[in-house]
Amino acid sequence: MICEKEACRKKRGGNLRIDNGLPASVEKIAEYCRRINTFWKVACYNFCMMRSMTGFSRINLITEKVEITVELRSLNSKNLSVSVNTHPESLELEYELRKYLLETLKRGRINCKIHIDFLHSVPAIRVNKGLAGSYIAALNEISQAFDIPDTTTTDTISRFRDVFYSTTEWAEDEGIRAAINDAVTRAIIDLEKERRTEGEKLRSILEEFLEELEGYVKKIDALKDKQRTYIKEKLEKFLEEIVVNPSVKDDVDDRLSVEIALSAEKADITEEIDRLFMHITRFRKLMDEEEPVGMKMDFYCQEFLRELNTIASKTRMKEISHLVVEAKNTVNRIREQVQNVL
């Protein structure tokens, strides 16, 4: 069997040539097995691997009857949507292929294009003989009415497009259907390989950005204890400017201690920093999840921004405000990349 396939590759310039030649009932069982095998292969590519939502694959497959080209393109989308473009009359085939893709793929806007070239004559075109006869009779009537030569030929009739119409009898051929399923299966596996490759690139970019974000949070954490001293100095300077009577200085000192404590409590950003570190740790773990994680990552990006905005509203130090701005810029860059994650 391997030798026969290899010979067919050489004969067809590298394209895979198959001819199952199985009875209809056996072919249906074989098709079922192929689809089960596809699920396993796709599951293996998905295991512990972050993937991109974008990808492209192209498969060319040749049998004794047809040459099939399948193109699969995946783009970003919040949900999974699938469109299948094949022979315009084969609605049942499109429905089955669309259902197959929906069962196999996860998230993304999937476009599947299938081009079929018939290598031998197949029942794909039918002639409306009654309508053709009406055209011939009408042309003959015109010839007699206006005394002009009647030069009606098959070429003349072929210009009337409604004389010919497409059929989908070929789609009932088990061999052709099996070949289409094989081609789509191979395209799905290649698409998942492409998504995995792109996902590895995204992972590297996200890890770099996470390290950058974590660095900013560590710098903010190092400055948080300075806020109390900073607040005390600001209040003391303010009171020195407004207190004129020395007799009230002791009362002012007591009140100052209370105000410093209250202001320091309001400006405390310890909880926000702890949550940021926690979110960063969980974000990293998501990159090892088996299931699609793009939407979860986007949620954590929102949480990053929420905590940073809270820190910005509490802080009194310019240094911390500057670090918050830089950290938010990094989060936005992370979020841009997350839109591509499956």
Side-chain angles (χ1 to χ4, degrees):
M1 183 66 181
I2 296 175
C3 295
E4 291 178 3
K5 288 184 177 180
E6 186 62 32
C8 292
R9 286 192 186 98
K10 293 179 180 179
K11 185 176 179 181
R12 289 286 181 173
N15 293 322
L16 179 61
R17 182 182 179 86
I18 64 171
D19 186 15
N20 296 318
L22 298 175
S25 58
V26 178
E27 183 58 46
K28 287 181 179 179
I29 296 174
E31 178 185 337
Y32 175 77
C33 293
R34 281 192 298 271
R35 291 198 174 191
I36 292 297
N37 189 40
T38 301
F39 284 121
W40 277 108
K41 286 184 177 180
V42 172
C44 289
Y45 289 128
N46 293 348
F47 182 70
C48 289
M49 186 66 67
M50 193 179 79
R51 287 154 289 151
S52 170
M53 242 189 300
T54 60
F56 176 81
S57 66
R58 187 177 189 274
I59 291 294
N60 182 258
L61 188 145
I62 300 173
T63 72
E64 290 293 337
K65 297 179 180 180
V66 291
E67 179 176 355
I68 301 167
T69 302
V70 177
E71 290 185 356
L72 269 180
R73 187 185 304 274
S74 176
L75 300 174
N76 297 348
S77 177
K78 289 185 177 180
N79 302 305
L80 174 61
S81 62
V82 175
S83 64
V84 179
N85 300 318
T86 182
H87 197 280
E89 303 297 330
S90 55
L91 297 180
E92 181 182 355
L93 178 62
E94 285 189 11
Y95 173 78
E96 290 182 0
L97 292 175
R98 184 175 182 275
K99 183 179 178 182
Y100 182 33
L101 292 168
L102 286 170
E103 291 172 349
T104 311
L105 300 174
K106 298 179 179 180
R107 278 192 83 197
R109 189 167 73 250
I110 311 297
N111 180 255
C112 176
K113 292 183 179 180
I114 303 175
H115 182 74
I116 303 171
D117 285 329
F118 298 99
L119 304 181
H120 304 285
S121 178
V122 293
I125 302 295
R126 286 288 181 266
V127 179
N128 191 332
K129 296 178 181 178
L131 184 60
S134 298
Y135 278 126
I136 292 172
L139 291 170
N140 183 261
E141 183 179 346
I142 292 173
S143 175
Q144 292 179 3
F146 295 96
D147 193 22
I148 56 176
D150 185 355
T151 58
T152 302
T153 63
T154 53
D155 179 64
T156 307
I157 300 301
S158 67
R159 297 174 186 177
F160 299 102
R161 295 185 179 181
D162 48 355
V163 171
F164 303 94
Y165 60 94
S166 301
T167 69
T168 56
E169 293 180 25
W170 58 267
E172 302 301 322
D173 186 297
E174 293 294 338
I176 294 177
R177 291 183 77 101
I180 293 172
N181 288 331
D182 281 345
V184 172
T185 294
R186 296 168 190 271
I188 290 173
I189 293 173
D190 282 1
L191 178 67
E192 287 300 313
K193 288 181 181 178
E194 180 72 16
R195 281 177 153 188
R196 183 182 61 178
T197 301
E198 292 299 317
E200 280 299 291
K201 296 177 183 177
L202 283 174
R203 184 192 184 100
S204 299
I205 295 172
L206 287 174
E207 285 177 344
E208 180 182 342
F209 286 158
L210 277 177
E211 288 181 6
E212 185 178 311
L213 175 62
E214 192 173 35
Y216 288 129
V217 177
K218 288 179 178 178
K219 290 179 180 179
I220 294 173
D221 188 37
L223 291 171
K224 69 179 182 182
D225 293 333
K226 294 182 179 180
Q227 283 217 103
R228 182 181 179 87
T229 303
Y230 178 81
I231 292 170
K232 180 180 179 181
E233 291 175 353
K234 293 289 288 185
L235 286 174
E236 286 176 343
K237 183 177 180 181
F238 175 73
L239 290 174
E240 285 176 1
E241 294 175 353
I242 63 172
V243 174
V244 179
N245 188 356
S247 62
V248 298
K249 188 176 186 304
D250 292 338
D251 293 336
V252 169
D253 288 340
D254 293 338
R255 183 60 182 168
L256 176 61
S257 299
V258 174
E259 289 297 329
I260 290 174
L262 291 174
S263 298
E265 183 178 353
K266 291 179 182 179
D268 183 39
I269 56 176
T270 302
E271 291 185 5
E272 288 76 16
I273 291 173
D274 290 342
R275 282 195 292 266
L276 279 170
F277 282 127
M278 181 180 64
H279 294 332
I280 290 172
T281 300
R282 290 181 177 176
F283 193 99
R284 284 198 172 102
K285 289 181 179 179
L286 285 178
M287 292 192 283
D288 293 325
E289 291 285 333
E290 299 177 28
E291 296 298 318
V293 294
M295 297 183 74
K296 291 181 181 178
M297 286 182 171
D298 188 64
F299 170 77
Y300 276 112
C301 287
Q302 296 178 37
E303 292 301 305
F304 289 151
L305 293 174
R306 188 194 308 277
E307 302 300 341
L308 289 170
N309 285 332
T310 303
I311 291 173
S313 66
K314 287 184 174 184
T315 188
R316 300 293 184 270
M317 296 180 64
K318 294 180 181 180
E319 294 90 339
I320 293 179
S321 296
H322 175 72
L323 289 170
V324 167
V325 171
E326 295 297 327
K328 288 175 68 175
N329 181 56
T330 301
V331 172
N332 287 329
R333 292 164 70 187
I334 292 174
R335 201 169 188 179
E336 287 178 4
Q337 298 299 324
V338 164
Q339 304 309 310
N340 298 320
V341 177
L342 183 66

